[in-house]
């Protein structure tokens, strides 16, 4: 019997399992609990532009423009149009998307950088939870095994040097091997590299590290999207305040009640996230505190119950004052493991889907509520591809010795605490180079060990990922989308059609390659 391993348990992984044939055994490995993933806690909605009746052109154009014209338009349109039957299936199965109170039809909401209201929400600000719970409860695959609190640390290879499974640390920190005919990485984003972030899991996703260790290219790792509105203050945030709040009429103001976005962008408080995050950051640099003025929103408590509870817990007077304190934080990994829409990577039998992957769907900045859509589509496309192509592989393998640098918790903490100041919403080449030198000194000075625990693996992944993001950010000598450099503040036309790839260059070093790609623009 053929077997597939899927690493992760978010919407991409669930969509994959949902579409996989019943005669293929599937093992779902998650480093946390099944429900501890960002999909399950996604407040924002899911885009559904089917009824705009333009084959996704307007939605695609918004995605392309929000991505600073760096995305591949054919990829964008493919992902969007392939989402229609998948989202319709969820609607038909009874996912309780919000309805208009008067017409009882689907309530399409507006969010930043969209030209039309096309976002579906469920439970106001609990869309990810409703979709994920629905998909978990409808997992009817007869050959599904779920392994929780299990960390994948490498692939295993057979004598023909084909990937034939994974090496894992189990619940007791013991190394084991699990054999399979294919491995699908649905490991999610790496946003909790930054102390201020919207991620739910406390542990870092290791998909890019696994890829790099096995010579799979990473793409656009400099592109980390910072959400402008996390509940809290600089370096002291608690949870996300969904963009849907601004879509419902909330306005960004400072403590002087100045709507500072009004003069910065035609879309004002609904400007793209990169623009809005930098605007709030600049306000904070000037000594201002930033708030969402929610006075225009009726019934905030019932419209956004999750956010309401968080605000009451941390700022109990904010609702009464109609001012919610907000600050930017890392939210979405735009770049990732280089793959096609069906998840295919450069390494045979290894696939990457969802936020872990980079198809250049998002370009240089993700459009609001496109992430659940992407995970749903890539999971389904990957499963459909493997349903047709998966073959058995020889499982005769030798357990390779697995070594990593043994990095202290103190070194990890020191480097991680600097990450937002150096790799956050504004970057500077000189600072980044000094930071990269410190990262590589830490990696090179750490003794190699084959006695791996989950803690030591996480330490290694955090430092390695900081190295990857910093190397990629240094290579893009322009400002585009979520990547803003004070020393290169302008967009450069040639970079619109170039991507930064990260390749392995030895055990503890990485190198970047700037690759020219075909100019995929909008065809009018």
């Amino acid at each position: 019997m053929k077997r597939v391993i899927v690493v992760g348990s978010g919407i991409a992984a669930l969509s994959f399992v949902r579409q996989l044939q019943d005669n293929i055994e599937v093992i779902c490995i998650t480093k946390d609990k099944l429900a501890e993933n960002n999909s399950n806690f996604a407040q924002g909605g899911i885009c559904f532009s089917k009824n705009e009746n333009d084959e996704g052109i307007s939605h695609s154009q918004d995605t392309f423009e929000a991505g600073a014209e760096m995305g591949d338009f054919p990829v964008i349109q493919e992902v969007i149009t392939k989402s229609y039957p998948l989202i319709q299936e969820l609607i038909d199965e009874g996912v309780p998307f919000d309805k208009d109170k008067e017409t009882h039809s689907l309530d399409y909401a507006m969010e930043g950088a969209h030209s039309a209201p096309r976002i579906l929400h469920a439970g106001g600000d609990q869309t990810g939870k409703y979709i994920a719970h629905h998909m978990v409860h409808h997992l009817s695959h007869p050959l599904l095994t779920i392994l929780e609190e299990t960390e994948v640390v490498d692939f295993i290879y057979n004598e023909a040097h084909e990937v034939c499974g994974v090496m894992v640390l189990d619940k007791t920190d013991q190394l084991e091997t699990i054999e399979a005919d294919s491995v699908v990485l649905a490991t999610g984003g790496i946003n909790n590299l930054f102390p201020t972030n919207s991620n739910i899991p406390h542990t870092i996703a290791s998909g890019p590290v696994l890829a790099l260790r096995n010579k799979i290219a990473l793409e656009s790792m400099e592109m980390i999207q910072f959400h402008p509105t996390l509940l809290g203050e600089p370096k002291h945030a608690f949870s996300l305040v969904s963009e849907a709040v601004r879509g419902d009429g909330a306005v960004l103001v400072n403590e002087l009640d100045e709507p500072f976005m009004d003069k910065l962008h035609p879309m004002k408080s609904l400007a793209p996230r990169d623009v809005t995050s930098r605007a709030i950051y600049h306000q904070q640099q000037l000594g201002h505190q930033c708030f969402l003025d929610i006075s225009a929103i009726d019934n905030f408590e019932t419209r956004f119950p999750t956010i309401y509870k968080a605000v009451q817990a941390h700022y109990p007077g904010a609702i009464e004052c109609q001012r919610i304190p907000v600050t930017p934080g890392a939210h979405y990994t735009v770049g990732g493991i280089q793959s096609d829409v069906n998840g295919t990577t450069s390494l045979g039998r290894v696939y990457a889907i969802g936020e872990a992957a980079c198809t250049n769907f998002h370009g240089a900045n993700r459009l609001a509520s496109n992430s659940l859509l992407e995970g749903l589509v890539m999971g389904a496309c990957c499963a459909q591809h493997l349903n047709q192509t998966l073959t058995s592989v020889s499982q005769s393998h030798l357990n390779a010795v697995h070594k990593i640098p043994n990095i202290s918790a103190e070194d990890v903490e020191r480097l991680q605490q600097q990450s937002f100041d150096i790799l956050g919403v504004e970057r500077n080449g000189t600072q980044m180079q000094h930071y990269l030198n410190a990262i590589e000194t830490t990696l090179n000075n750490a003794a190699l060990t084959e006695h791996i625990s989950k803690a030591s693996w996480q330490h290694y992944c955090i430092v390695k990922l900081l190295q990857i993001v910093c190397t990629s950010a240094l290579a893009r000598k322009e400002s585009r989308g979520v990547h803003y450099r004070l020393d290169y503040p302008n967009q450069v036309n040639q970079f619109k059609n170039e991507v930064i790839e990260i390749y392995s260059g030895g055990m503890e070093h990485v190198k970047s390659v700037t690759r020219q790609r075909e100019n995929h623009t909008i065809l009018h």
Side-chain angles (χ1 to χ4, degrees):
M1 180 180 294
K2 290 176 283 190
R3 175 194 285 177
V4 173
I5 290 170
V6 58
V7 187
S9 60
I11 194 168
L14 294 173
S15 180
F16 173 81
V17 174
R18 181 180 169 94
Q19 299 291 336
L20 196 66
Q21 286 178 353
D22 286 354
N23 62 348
I24 301 175
E25 182 184 2
V26 56
I27 300 176
C28 177
I29 302 176
T30 178
K31 59 185 172 58
D32 302 296
K33 294 289 187 180
L34 182 64
E36 291 178 2
N37 58 72
N38 289 312
S39 295
N40 199 48
F41 291 89
Q43 293 178 1
I46 186 167
C47 293
F48 189 49
S49 53
K50 174 184 176 182
N51 294 328
E52 292 173 23
N53 297 317
D54 64 351
E55 298 182 341
I57 291 293
S58 178
H59 183 181
S60 298
Q61 185 160 347
D62 289 349
T63 300
F64 182 75
E65 291 176 357
E69 300 186 353
M70 199 180 88
D72 285 342
F73 198 78
V75 169
I76 294 169
Q77 195 166 12
E78 178 185 0
V79 172
I80 287 171
T81 54
K82 283 185 173 178
S83 75
Y84 295 160
L86 298 171
I87 298 172
Q88 187 64 55
E89 186 176 32
L90 294 177
I91 295 169
D92 294 342
E93 288 177 355
V95 173
F97 289 111
D98 296 342
K99 303 285 184 67
D100 183 276
K101 292 180 179 179
E102 295 181 1
T103 65
H104 303 292
S105 58
L106 289 171
D107 184 13
Y108 291 94
M110 187 78 171
E111 291 185 6
H114 285 271
S115 59
R118 59 169 68 98
I119 296 94
L120 299 180
H121 293 90
D125 55 8
Q126 303 172 81
T127 311
K129 175 182 177 180
Y130 276 73
I131 293 176
H133 282 201
H134 174 87
M135 295 177 78
V136 167
H137 292 148
H138 285 74
L139 284 181
S140 57
H141 198 290
L143 302 174
L144 170 65
T145 302
I146 298 172
L147 300 178
E148 296 182 315
E149 299 177 49
T150 303
E151 182 92 62
V152 176
V153 297
D154 213 345
F155 304 141
I156 55 175
Y157 292 82
N158 63 19
E159 294 170 344
H161 204 67
E162 296 173 296
V163 171
C164 61
V166 295
M167 184 183 298
V168 303
L169 287 165
D170 66 14
K171 290 183 178 181
T172 62
D173 264 359
Q174 297 300 306
L175 276 175
E176 295 183 0
T177 57
I178 302 175
E179 299 170 350
D181 301 302
S182 190
V183 178
V184 179
L185 298 175
T187 52
I190 59 169
N191 314 299
N192 50 354
L193 268 182
F194 298 86
T196 305
N197 68 79
S198 65
N199 277 30
I200 295 303
H202 299 297
T203 49
I204 197 78
S206 57
V209 176
L210 293 172
L212 198 66
R213 285 177 69 88
N214 291 274
K215 299 180 173 59
I216 306 174
L218 307 177
E219 183 177 321
S220 300
M221 292 300 291
E222 74 276 17
M223 300 299 181
I224 304 288
Q225 183 183 76
F226 289 83
H227 199 288
T229 56
L230 268 60
L231 175 65
E233 303 153 50
K235 298 186 179 179
H236 196 61
F238 300 100
S239 60
L240 184 68
V241 179
S242 170
E243 194 158 310
V245 175
R246 281 174 284 143
D248 259 22
V251 176
L252 283 163
V253 298
N254 58 24
E255 81 283 1
L256 303 175
D257 275 343
E258 296 172 339
F260 54 87
M261 289 302 300
D262 287 12
K263 296 180 181 179
L264 291 179
H265 196 277
M267 299 186 77
K268 300 180 180 180
S269 289
L270 281 172
R273 290 177 178 178
D274 55 314
V275 176
T276 313
S277 291
R278 286 197 301 275
I280 295 173
Y281 179 73
H282 289 160
Q283 288 286 311
Q284 293 170 340
Q285 295 296 100
L286 293 170
H288 295 299
Q289 189 170 356
C290 297
F291 301 87
L292 276 172
D293 175 351
I294 60 169
S295 58
I297 302 177
D298 295 327
N299 304 313
F300 187 88
E301 178 180 355
T302 54
R303 180 71 181 90
F304 301 104
T306 303
I307 299 169
Y308 175 81
K309 289 176 184 176
V311 175
Q312 289 292 79
H314 300 289
Y315 296 96
I319 298 294
E320 192 173 323
C321 296
Q322 302 284 279
R323 299 287 186 275
I324 298 175
V326 291
T327 191
H331 179 59
Y332 190 84
T333 308
V334 177
I337 303 164
Q338 198 173 81
S339 71
D340 295 335
V341 172
N342 64 14
T344 302
T345 71
S346 60
L347 181 59
R349 298 185 182 274
V350 175
Y351 297 80
I353 57 176
E355 191 175 355
C358 182
T359 63
N360 217 12
F361 171 58
H362 302 297
N365 181 32
R366 177 175 69 81
L367 181 68
S369 291
N370 263 350
S371 56
L372 292 175
L373 176 153
E374 181 192 37
L376 195 65
V377 170
M378 289 195 75
C381 288
C382 186
Q384 290 158 7
H385 174 75
L386 286 177
N387 287 341
Q388 299 171 358
T389 63
L390 184 64
T391 57
S392 299
V393 66
S394 169
Q395 300 293 340
S396 58
H397 61 87
L398 297 174
N399 290 355
V401 176
H402 186 82
K403 292 183 178 181
I404 61 171
N406 190 18
I407 304 169
S408 70
E410 292 76 18
D411 282 341
V412 175
E413 174 76 8
R414 173 178 52 83
L415 291 170
Q416 203 168 10
Q417 285 302 316
Q418 301 174 61
S419 59
F420 184 84
D421 292 333
I422 296 171
L423 296 173
V425 295
E426 290 189 340
R427 299 164 174 176
N428 175 280
T430 301
Q431 283 185 318
M432 288 193 292
Q433 188 59 61
H434 288 316
Y435 188 52
L436 182 61
N437 293 343
I439 292 168
E440 294 187 338
T441 297
T442 300
L443 286 167
N444 293 332
N445 288 347
L448 294 179
T449 180
E450 59 185 79
H451 300 292
I452 304 170
S453 65
K454 288 180 184 175
S456 64
W457 172 249
Q458 282 283 303
H459 290 169
Y460 169 65
C461 286
I462 289 168
V463 177
K464 194 69 181 173
L465 288 165
L466 288 170
Q467 179 194 32
I468 288 166
V469 173
C470 196
T471 300
S472 192
L474 276 165
R476 183 169 289 280
K477 294 180 171 62
E478 67 155 356
S479 290
R480 183 175 297 277
V482 297
H483 172 70
Y484 188 83
R485 287 186 59 163
L486 293 169
D487 49 343
Y488 292 97
N490 300 315
Q491 286 190 5
V492 179
N493 282 337
Q494 72 181 62
F495 267 103
K496 181 167 66 173
N497 299 312
E498 290 181 349
V499 292
I500 307 299
E501 295 178 352
I502 296 289
Y503 289 92
S504 175
M507 182 171 285
E508 301 319 326
H509 297 281
V510 298
K511 62 181 180 181
S512 64
V513 176
T514 303
R515 178 177 61 82
Q516 184 79 15
R517 63 175 176 82
E518 184 180 348
N519 185 5
H520 290 313
T521 55
I522 299 176
L523 302 177
H524 292 286

